[in-house]
Amino acid sequence: MKPLSRVASGIKPSSTLRTSAMARSLRAAGEDVIDFGLGELDLPTPPGISAAGIKAIEDGFTKYTAAIGTEELRRAICGKLARDNGLSCEPCQIVVSNGAKHALSNTFAAILDPGDEVIISAPYWLSYPEMVRLCGGVPVIVPPDAAGGFRPNAEAIRRAVTDKTKAVVINSPSNPSGAVASRADLAAIADVAVQNDLYVVSDEIYEKLIYGADAVHVSIASLGGDMAERAVVINGVSKSHAMTGWRIGYSASSPEIARLIAAVQSHQTSAPNSIAQKAAAWALEHGGAAVLAIRDVFARRRGLICTLAADIPRLSFEAPSGAFYLFVDVSGLYGRAAGGGRLESAADVADALLGIAKVAVVPCGDFGCPDHIRITYAASEERIAEGMARIASFARGLGR
Ligand SMILES: Cc1ncc(COP(=O)(O)O)c(C=O)c1O
């Protein structure tokens, strides 16, 4: 038979999904596995939002909507962007998609031609390079800046620019590091973008999960000059409103880019779910208190996990400023004996943690940091305490 697509064959399956599949099969075998691998809130969708979805069904709001989303939701998104981010958008600049992930892949399809380079700073969310490749683009990875707290570094980005560079991806707060870019970081990156005529894809999906007095979310699109035209802001309700399964995300961009994103989406998926759009519009208009309540739950969990992790020997981490991940350097465990072998990589550590301690974490090789693991603290305080106690006894029990 003829070979299948070279592009699709080159795509790596997601290692986060591999971890959860392994955790699931252990659980099916009767093991009490603590899953710190997922990138998903464990909280239910707030009741007012769910009620808006139920009402949409009862009202018969169950037909296709405009391919770019309802006018009602796109107006609600414009209101949110003005209120929270200081961005002035018209509904024609918004395309509502099936989650932020879909909005991102539409965006790459709209801006990339084969061979175009896209600069991505490590550590990065593992889907960006694959999405770029699916569009024929070339991901160019900037090495992690541990000394800078893993924030994106404008000078390193500048050094990665070539005459083929089309765009830079920014993700603040970051999955997996939890780092939050400062206004100064973003201003310096905006300068690089303007000087080299680059688009900036700014994934702001964790905007509402931000902790500590110093961390403030700034959208790079709000920094003036022509950044509002160069930047494509990606956001959604998945993480802010505990609505992962509803699948509503969006892009906000110049009308020219939005037209192309809309064209791509109109042929690939048409509009996102009509019921979820009603719920998302309600969430953006009335869900402010729920967002703050979710943030407070995660702020407490972050405090707890940082305290517990600080007591574990040979792990190194910084308290995350945003999102819900602890990004831990495990190279201090290398060379130690575990389960009949020696730990030589973060993947070995993750496998041994799952096999011995029955705790699922994600090794971050596919996120551009092969000595780190990602521990998701989207779990109850009891489960966090139990899971970290298991990791501590694993680390203390390793052989020489
Ligand atoms: C950085 C980042 N961007 C986008 C997404 C996708 O969000 P959505 O569920 O809205 O597609 C995720 C989900 O894990 C993420 O971590």
Side-chain angles (χ1 to χ4, degrees), residues 39 99-101 125 128 171 175 203 205-206 238-239 247:
K101 197 173 208 172
W125 184 42
Y128 301 135
N171 173 215
N175 172 10
D203 180 351
I205 191 76
Y206 292 99
S238 298
K239 318 282 180 178
R247 308 309 303 131

Side-chain angles (χ1 to χ4, degrees), residues 38-40 97-104 124-128 131 170-176 203-206 234-239 243-245 247-250 323-325 367 374:
L38 284 175
E40 176 164 34
S97 299
N98 298 287
K101 197 173 208 172
H102 184 211
L104 280 161
Y124 47 80
W125 184 42
L126 75 183
S127 291
Y128 301 135
M131 286 178 178
I170 302 294
N171 173 215
S172 176
S174 153
N175 172 10
D203 180 351
E204 304 179 14
I205 191 76
Y206 292 99
I234 305 291
N235 209 329
V237 290
S238 298
K239 318 282 180 178
M243 291 179 71
T244 45
R247 308 309 303 131
I248 296 292
Y250 56 85
F324 43 65
Y325 308 105
F367 294 71
R374 188 190 76 176

